[in-house]
């Protein structure tokens, strides 16, 4: 009896020890504000930023631009990983299901707010399955044509598309992409039904447009500005209320008679829900430093955009933006009757 009592106590003590060790591994035992384990000495190794579109495109360009100063601030390597497909939803789903430890980050844009309406069976909830790190930039879009495409103005483009509906091709980066949303707004504004050619990103779409394989597209200035300034493509209009500094000769959609066709592509960083608050704070602090870095400001300016002001580079402002944009685009997309098939 006695022996068994001693053995049982010893066994109980060892169980208690195991629980404690496990708790210690959990970093002091208390869950932090985000409900995740404490971040401890975050970061302790490389961080991956997942880009939902092909390398060389506008979202990849913005990501690689801020990744460098963020890595310098965090003191670790940042790896940019391109995960293409389904207009960005494949990458978002991958990150939603990644370890919530701060080492997997998603860069996404306006597509995060259109996906819930475009994909009725979307595998993730943009508001529930992610923590926001902060907004990054809001990029204007431009309508451009291939070098050999006949139209030279937005007005000529609309007339030409109307007259050649069956043959004109419009490139985009899939359902859920900014280029797809802009195409949808063009169809809504003109009443014309486009023949869309989907790519894994507007980086590869640009290659085909330069090669006259597709006729026109609407894409972010971070991918078009230098092509326009180099006269490599035809430029029809920019989707902002005012002309932009980098492209003073490109008229606005309003000047071209399409006042309702206005859109800018906001970008933000996300981590899986449950990521430790300490990691979120460190990523946000590094983002803020990157957005005031001289080289980032200059380069974004050359590409027709700018970092968001500091008060928008916050998790709170980012979440407000996402909530508002989901509500803004839902009725517009439903009215257009576009659903991913
Ligand atoms: C890209 O990086 O390829 C773009 O963001 C795609 C898009 O949304 O049009």
């Amino acid at each position: 009896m006695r022996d068994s009592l001693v053995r049982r106590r010893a066994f109980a003590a060892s169980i208690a020890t195991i629980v404690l060790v496990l708790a210690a591994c959990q970093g002091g035992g208390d869950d932090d504000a985000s409900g995740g384990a404490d971040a401890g000495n975050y970061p302790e190794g490389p961080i991956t930023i997942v880009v939902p579109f092909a390398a060389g495109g506008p979202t990849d360009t913005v990501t690689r631009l801020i990744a460098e100063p963020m890595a310098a601030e965090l003191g670790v390597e940042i790896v940019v990983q391109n995960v293409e497909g389904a207009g960005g939803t494949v990458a978002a789903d991958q990150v939603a299901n990644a370890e919530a430890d701060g080492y997997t980050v998603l860069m996404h844009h306006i597509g995060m707010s259109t996906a819930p309406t475009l994909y009725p069976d979307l595998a993730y909830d943009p508001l529930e399955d992610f923590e926001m790190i902060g907004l990054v930039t809001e990029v204007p879009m431009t309508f451009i044509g291939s070098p050999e495409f006949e139209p030279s103005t937005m007005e000529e483009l609309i007339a030409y598309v109307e007259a050649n509906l069956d043959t004109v091709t419009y490139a985009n980066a899939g359902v859920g992409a900014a280029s797809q949303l802009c195409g949808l707004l063009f169809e809504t504004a003109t009443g014309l039904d486009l023949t869309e050619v989907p790519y894994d990103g507007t980086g590869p779409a640009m290659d085909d447009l330069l090669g006259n394989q597709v006729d026109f597209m609407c894409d972010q200035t971070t991918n078009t500005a230098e092509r326009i300034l180099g006269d490599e493509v035809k430029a029809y209009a920019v989707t902002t209320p005012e002309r932009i500094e980098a492209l003073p000769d490109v008229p606005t959609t309003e000047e071209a008679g399409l006042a309702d066709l206005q859109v800018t592509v906001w970008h933000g960083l996300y981590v899986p829900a449950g990521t430790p608050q300490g990691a979120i704070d460190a990523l946000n602090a590094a983002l803020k430093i990157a957005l005031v870095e001289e080289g980032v400001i200059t380069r974004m300016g050359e590409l027709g955009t700018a970092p968001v002001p500091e008060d928008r580079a916050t998790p709170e402002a980012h979440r407000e933006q996402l909530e508002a944009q989901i509500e803004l685009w839902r009725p517009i997309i439903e009215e257009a009757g576009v659903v991913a098939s």
Side-chain angles (χ1 to χ4, degrees):
M1 173 60 174
R2 174 135 181 75
D3 287 357
S4 67
L5 185 61
V6 171
R7 273 199 300 277
R8 265 187 277 131
R9 282 203 182 123
F11 177 68
S14 59
I15 295 294
T17 310
I18 292 170
V19 170
L20 277 174
V21 170
L22 276 177
C25 295
Q26 291 283 326
D30 300 332
D31 286 357
D32 66 12
S34 69
D38 183 4
N41 303 323
Y42 178 89
E44 292 176 312
I47 294 168
T48 297
I49 302 184
V50 175
V51 170
F53 300 102
T59 305
D60 187 65
T61 297
V62 167
T63 305
R64 291 176 194 275
L65 186 56
I66 64 167
E68 211 179 301
M70 286 185 70
E73 176 57 23
L74 292 161
V76 296
E77 184 194 3
I78 291 185
V79 177
V80 175
Q81 180 193 19
N82 300 86
V83 177
E84 302 97 338
T89 59
V90 171
D93 188 36
Q94 180 178 307
V95 174
N97 294 294
E99 191 76 31
D101 56 8
Y103 293 96
T104 304
V105 179
L106 172 72
M107 168 68 88
H108 206 348
H109 59 32
I110 196 168
M112 200 68 159
S113 64
T114 59
T117 307
L118 291 165
Y119 292 84
D121 306 321
L122 195 62
Y124 57 88
D125 180 321
L127 290 167
E128 297 302 321
D129 298 333
F130 296 91
E131 309 283 357
M132 283 62 188
I133 300 298
L135 296 166
V136 175
T137 183
E138 303 198 49
V139 186
M141 303 192 81
T142 49
F143 283 90
I144 59 170
S146 63
E148 291 174 12
F149 195 37
E150 195 175 307
S152 297
T153 66
M154 194 67 178
E155 293 82 355
E156 288 178 13
L157 171 68
I158 296 167
Y160 188 90
V161 172
E162 185 162 15
N164 301 279
L165 264 181
D166 299 336
T167 55
V168 169
T169 52
Y170 175 81
N172 70 32
V175 176
S179 47
Q180 181 258 336
L181 176 63
C182 189
L184 180 157
L185 296 176
F186 178 89
E187 292 181 322
T188 301
T190 62
L192 300 172
D193 198 10
L194 295 172
T195 302
E196 298 172 271
V197 182
Y199 291 79
D200 281 339
T202 53
M206 179 65 84
D207 296 340
D208 269 9
L209 187 122
L210 290 168
N212 298 297
Q213 302 305 304
V214 284
D215 296 315
F216 81 112
M217 73 176 172
C218 175
D219 192 18
Q220 298 159 67
T221 59
T222 37
N223 198 33
T224 65
E226 293 183 326
R227 307 281 186 189
I228 292 172
L229 293 171
D231 285 327
E232 297 173 64
V233 297
K234 299 209 173 154
Y236 302 120
V238 62
T239 62
T240 44
E242 310 288 333
R243 292 192 181 199
I244 62 173
E245 205 177 317
L247 298 170
D249 301 333
V250 179
T252 65
T253 44
E254 182 163 2
E255 288 175 74
L258 299 173
D260 296 339
L261 207 174
Q262 293 183 350
V263 60
T264 52
V265 184
W266 55 277
H267 288 69
L269 293 175
Y270 302 81
V271 288
T275 295
Q277 192 61 43
I280 293 171
D281 295 344
L283 288 165
N284 177 260
L287 171 62
K288 284 183 171 171
I289 288 172
L291 294 181
V292 295
E293 211 260 336
E294 211 42 57
V296 168
I297 296 171
T298 304
R299 185 64 183 138
M300 281 198 182
E302 291 165 356
L303 298 175
T305 189
V308 296
E310 188 176 351
D311 63 355
R312 289 181 55 70
T314 66
E316 298 75 24
H318 185 175
R319 183 171 287 277
E320 279 168 25
Q321 171 82 355
L322 179 56
E323 285 169 349
Q325 289 272 303
I326 290 173
E327 294 314 312
L328 171 73
W329 295 115
R330 180 183 291 120
I332 294 170
I333 293 169
E334 287 173 348
E335 176 72 25
V338 176
V339 174
S341 50

